[in-house]
């Protein structure tokens, strides 16, 4: 539905010769030279960016500048650094294969039972948003269950069974990086081939005629194998995100092994990120309606990003703390905990308020009052006029994207837990600021096209995007 707006939406043809309207989100229809250059840059260099961060920790105690200085001054060469890098090992391949297969089994073959006994949790078979071609996919929402089973087994192993050391992830971190890259590229290549040879929903494909752009941003909207195995939900929401908390636990175990104790900063990072991950699984049904699932096609950006970028770069704080065991003073630790919790509260409540408002069509209470809204309309590609409402109460009356602001506050808290010794653990807040600011601008561009004058009325009523009075 969302991608079918008529404002400024010229028609193009897909390979079936069928005219389609151009959307304002997700991948583009025509590639300008800047986008193409960025795509080729990312395809070539993103794996090396990830490698650089992980190598900097492994060989240079998490200094981002020393490797460059060493190379520039001749103290080290690229060949030296590469020679010291652990290669892929049979053990890592076994571990990774076992991990991904286990998540496939939990995702595909274990229908959700959590929704039967957890009050308020919405799981089991759920519907996604309507795709541009009018398809409504069904999903088996069982991520919370997969997370719980995986973590139960992890703790059973750590405290009872001792099949493997809890430091196993840290100990194989670089060999596992090669495995994650192989899967990331393999799944993206498979998705590209599949989109031409056996697409799931041919009408929902988007092409540009540019190979690199198609490969990166994806052609198919919701590629599937069989009725239930959905690539976008599986890769977005399983091997990387379920692993996130396990990776942190493994880093904490390594701290314990190396120093005989776990620092309060490591506990903070583990707890705050676990809240964020658990929130994702608790709200997986809501997630089916977010921009990620509703507008992005499945290509390298999601396939490789979910396999490599997310588990390796979102966990840099825990990795850093293995090399630099920061013990925060109590006031600092409490301050960071509060920042993380308040950020999480704003993030969750803002998302909840919008969801509640849209689900009940405004028949609800927000901050104890009947919500105020701006009535708006838009015309879909088939010429039909639709009505919608933009909430201007609660957090949505304070700024237009306070859910992003809350997310950024939480992200800052993880980074601050690492102290001020190095830049590396601050990568996350820098990256999230760029990601969410760009996302905010892209979303507003889409909404401005969709709602036209009504959007102008909304921005006049709620003038700021992320920070009231500033931006
Ligand atoms: P939003 O949940 O903010 O959704 C934006 C859409 O909501 C708009 O396109 C519009 O859609 C609708 N909308 C906008 N303003 C209003 C309003 N005032 N009232 C009612 N509806 C409105 O964006 P995302 O899907 O990007 O984000 C969801 C969450 O995921 C965020 O909290 C974000 O922080 C988080 N996130 C986290 C990432 C990570 O890597 N950790 C990455 C990306 C997101 P419509 O066309 O329906 O009007």
């Amino acid at each position: 539905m969302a991608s079918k707006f008529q404002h400024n939406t010229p028609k193009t043809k897909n390979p079936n010769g069928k005219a389609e309207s151009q959307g304002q989100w997700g991948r583009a229809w025509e590639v300008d030279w800047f986008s193409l250059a960025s795509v080729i840059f990312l395809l070539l260099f993103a794996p090396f960016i990830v490698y650089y961060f992980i190598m900097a920790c492994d060989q240079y105690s998490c200094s981002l500048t020393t490797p460059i200085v060493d190379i520039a001054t001749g103290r080290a060469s690229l060949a030296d650094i590469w020679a010291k890098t652990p290669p892929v090992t049979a053990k890592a391949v076994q571990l990774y294969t076992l991990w991904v297969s286990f998540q496939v089994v939990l995702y595909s073959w274990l229908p959700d039972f959590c929704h039967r006994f957890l009050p308020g949790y919405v799981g089991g078979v759920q519907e996604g948003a309507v795709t541009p071609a009018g398809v409504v996919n069904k999903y088996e929402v069982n991520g919370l269950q997969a997370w719980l089973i995986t973590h139960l087994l992890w703790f059973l192993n750590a405290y009872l069974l001792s099949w493997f050391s809890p430091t196993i992830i840290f100990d194989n971190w670089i060999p596992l990086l090669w495995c994650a890259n192989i899967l990331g590229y393999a799944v993206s290549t498979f998705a590209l081939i599949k989109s031409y040879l056996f697409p799931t929903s041919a009408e929902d494909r988007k092409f540009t005629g540019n190979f690199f752009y198609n490969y990166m941003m994806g052609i198919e909207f919701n590629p599937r194998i069989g009725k239930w195995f959905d690539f976008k939900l599986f890769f977005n929401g399983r091997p990387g995100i379920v692993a996130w908390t396990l990776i942190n636990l493994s880093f904490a175990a390594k701290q314990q092994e190396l120093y005989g104790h776990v620092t309060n900063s490591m506990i903070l990072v583990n707890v705050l990120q676990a809240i964020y991950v658990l929130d994702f699984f608790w709200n997986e049904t809501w997630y089916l309606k977010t921009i990620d699932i509703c507008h992005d096609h499945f290509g390298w950006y999601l396939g490789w990003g979910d396999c490599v970028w997310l588990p390796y770069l979102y966990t840099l704080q825990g990795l850093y703390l293995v090399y630099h065991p920061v013990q925060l003073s109590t006031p600092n630790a409490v301050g960071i905990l509060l920042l993380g919790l308040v950020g999480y509260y704003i993030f969750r409540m803002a998302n909840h308020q919008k969801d509640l408002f849209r689900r009940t069509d405004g028949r609800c209470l927000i901050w104890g009052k009947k919500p105020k809204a701006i009535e708006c309309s838009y015309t879909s590609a088939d010429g039909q006029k639709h009505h919608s409402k933009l909430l201007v109460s609660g957090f949505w009356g304070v700024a237009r994207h306070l859910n992003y602001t809350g997310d950024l506050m939480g992200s800052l808290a993880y980074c601050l837990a690492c102290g001020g010794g190095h830049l590396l653990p601050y990568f996350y807040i820098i990256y999230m600021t760029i990601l969410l600011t760009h996302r905010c601008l892209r979303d507003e561009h889409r909404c401005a096209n969709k709602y036209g004058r009504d959007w102008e009325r909304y921005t006049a009523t709620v003038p700021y995007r992320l920070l009231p009075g500033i931006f």
Side-chain angles (χ1 to χ4, degrees), residues 276 354 358 391 404 407 439 443 446 450-451 458:
Y276 193 73
K354 181 172 70 119
R358 283 275 170 101
L391 176 64
Y404 292 178
D407 208 344
R439 199 180 178 91
D443 185 49
R446 191 185 73 85
K450 179 178 178 181
Y451 296 122
Y458 172 56

Side-chain angles (χ1 to χ4, degrees), residues 108-367:
S108 313
W109 291 326
L110 212 58
D112 186 69
F113 61 79
C114 285
H115 71 280
R116 295 181 196 278
F117 65 89
L118 285 175
Y121 172 68
V122 184
V125 177
Q126 299 292 332
E127 287 188 347
V130 188
T131 71
V135 177
V136 178
N137 284 303
K138 282 194 167 35
Y139 296 84
E140 175 67 48
V141 172
N142 58 4
L144 183 66
Q145 170 176 283
W147 189 89
L148 287 171
I149 292 174
T150 307
H151 284 69
L152 187 73
L153 286 176
W154 177 272
F155 283 109
L156 267 179
N157 171 69
Y159 292 103
L160 219 63
L161 303 170
S162 302
W163 287 336
F164 54 84
S165 162
T167 63
I168 193 166
I169 303 177
F170 177 88
D171 295 337
N172 292 278
W173 200 220
I174 294 184
L176 285 170
L177 173 63
W178 308 133
C179 303
N181 268 289
I182 292 167
L183 180 66
Y185 277 92
V187 77
S188 318
T189 308
F190 177 77
L192 184 85
I193 296 168
K194 178 182 172 320
S195 64
Y196 284 99
L197 299 185
F198 48 104
T200 304
S201 166
E203 299 298 297
D204 269 322
R205 290 177 297 172
K206 257 185 174 183
F207 296 87
T208 53
N210 184 289
F211 171 80
F212 295 108
Y213 193 85
N214 283 343
Y215 182 67
M216 175 149 173
M217 299 307 288
I219 292 174
E220 274 204 88
F221 195 46
N222 289 308
R224 286 187 166 209
I225 289 185
K227 196 176 167 199
W228 293 107
F229 190 86
D230 184 90
F231 278 61
K232 211 154 58 174
L233 187 61
F234 178 75
F235 283 97
N236 254 315
R238 293 298 186 279
I241 297 201
V242 178
W244 188 346
T245 33
L246 288 188
I247 294 165
N248 280 342
L249 286 170
S250 185
F251 292 160
K254 193 68 192 179
Q255 251 199 358
Q256 175 73 38
E257 183 188 284
L258 290 174
Y259 312 106
H261 69 282
V262 177
T263 60
N264 59 3
S265 53
M266 181 66 99
I267 294 171
L268 266 178
V269 168
N270 266 264
V271 168
L272 290 175
Q273 294 190 344
I275 293 173
Y276 193 73
V277 169
L278 261 174
D279 176 275
F280 172 84
F281 286 118
W282 185 268
N283 295 294
E284 195 175 0
T285 300
W286 159 82
Y287 179 69
L288 297 177
K289 305 274 167 71
T290 63
I291 287 171
D292 278 357
I293 297 283
C294 293
H295 302 293
D296 280 334
H297 288 238
F298 187 84
W300 180 90
Y301 169 74
L302 287 181
W304 180 86
D306 291 331
C307 290
V308 182
W309 189 268
L310 187 154
Y312 276 85
L313 294 188
Y314 284 24
T315 55
L316 279 178
Q317 293 83 31
L319 181 65
Y320 174 84
L321 291 171
V322 174
Y323 295 92
H324 300 271
V326 173
Q327 183 67 21
L328 297 162
S329 67
T330 306
N332 281 351
V334 171
I336 291 168
L337 179 65
L338 282 178
L339 176 69
L341 292 179
V342 172
Y344 170 71
Y345 177 78
I346 295 174
F347 158 82
R348 173 49 34 224
M349 288 317 291
N351 285 326
H352 171 70
Q353 286 176 351
K354 181 172 70 119
D355 183 46
L356 180 71
F357 170 77
R358 283 275 170 101
R359 257 191 299 117
T360 60
D361 194 25
R363 285 184 284 277
C364 59
L365 291 182
I366 287 178
W367 288 353

